[in-house]
Amino acid sequence: MSDLSPFRWRFAIATGLFVSLSCGGLAAAQSFPLTHELQTGQVDEYGIVHVEADDDGALVFEVEMEPERVGPRSSIRRVFFNLLPETTDLQIEPVDEGDSVHFVAHPSRRKLARSGARFDWRIDVHPPTGSERGRRGEGSALPVARFRVFADVPLVVDDLFPVSLTRAGDAVQMVVKMQQGRTPEGERVRWVGGVFEPDEEPPPVLSSQPEEPVILR
């Protein structure tokens, strides 16, 4: 019988997940469903992060929360992720032309609250001036955020696959910090994370048997 603790088992599984994904060469567009509330341990479909690599070596993020699960007044405030290439020059810009939401990229070395998870980078999401301090409601809600990050080296989606572990041993690759997040039952939703799930459908399996020749009579 193995003497590995449950934590070490989870770490081994998470490490194997990263290695298998990296070796698989998955790029293009991929998704990170946000299904785990880091502080409460609750599991639900809180939202999703879509990431796509563009032709310029940048990564385009679309963070979308599910209002029915996090509440209509919830707002995205920070996005955390790991990045395999070591870089100190991560740049960011909004995707939507004329977007008044302001994004700032920072290195992130501190643990996320009581979860114990640690990430390489964080993106601060600032809503339009005045909306955050205004009335709590539609004006301050920010359920969707779109931005593009690029560095001094070309980036691909696979670069986001390194995992972080919570104190409970749960593997996460992407975390979003919410403000004013509440479940339909009234429970607070603040830190939601998840791991990679392929966006692309597998190709059809072709039969290895040759077709029978057609005999013309």
Side-chain angles (χ1 to χ4, degrees):
M1 182 178 294
S2 173
D3 58 354
L4 287 178
S5 67
F7 177 85
R8 291 183 181 275
W9 270 117
R10 291 192 179 104
F11 179 78
I13 293 171
T15 304
L17 172 67
F18 165 53
V19 171
S20 65
L21 291 176
S22 296
C23 294
L26 305 171
Q30 306 296 351
S31 297
F32 299 81
L34 304 172
T35 58
H36 186 70
E37 215 293 331
L38 301 191
Q39 290 187 316
T40 66
Q42 295 296 318
V43 176
D44 203 343
E45 296 179 358
Y46 298 109
I48 194 166
V49 181
H50 297 284
V51 186
E52 182 174 358
D54 65 16
D55 294 335
D56 297 324
L59 295 176
V60 181
F61 287 70
E62 181 179 70
V63 185
E64 185 174 3
M65 307 309 297
E66 177 52 63
E68 292 183 1
R69 307 314 303 164
V70 298
R73 297 191 297 182
S74 62
S75 290
I76 300 165
R77 284 298 175 263
R78 286 180 176 173
V79 181
F80 296 82
F81 54 86
N82 292 314
L83 198 59
L84 186 60
E86 293 186 4
T87 176
T88 57
D89 187 27
L90 193 66
Q91 303 294 317
I92 187 168
E93 61 186 18
V95 170
D96 299 325
E97 186 176 349
D99 194 346
S100 56
V101 179
H102 182 54
F103 302 95
V104 182
H106 297 282
S108 176
R109 301 297 181 184
R110 293 185 177 183
K111 296 179 180 179
L112 305 189
R114 297 191 300 270
S115 73
R118 192 191 306 269
F119 286 87
D120 295 335
W121 290 93
R122 84 169 194 259
I123 305 299
D124 289 350
V125 183
H126 301 281
T129 304
S131 67
E132 188 173 9
R133 298 181 181 180
R135 294 180 300 173
R136 297 184 183 275
E138 244 182 81
S140 60
L142 189 67
V144 179
R146 300 181 182 90
F147 54 89
R148 179 177 179 268
V149 298
F150 51 97
D152 48 357
V153 294
L155 302 175
V156 294
V157 179
D158 303 50
D159 295 335
L160 302 171
F161 286 162
V163 298
S164 296
L165 292 176
T166 67
R167 286 194 178 96
D170 297 308
V172 283
Q173 293 169 310
M174 195 79 59
V175 168
V176 172
K177 180 182 179 182
M178 303 294 301
Q179 183 171 316
Q180 299 297 317
R182 295 280 179 180
T183 67
E185 295 75 26
E187 296 180 356
R188 189 174 185 181
V189 179
R190 189 172 185 185
W191 306 88
V192 290
V195 295
F196 158 82
E197 183 175 287
D199 244 3
E200 300 172 346
E201 295 183 2
V205 178
L206 301 179
S207 173
S208 59
Q209 299 295 328
E211 294 184 2
E212 294 183 3
V214 177
I215 301 177
L216 301 177
R217 296 183 184 275

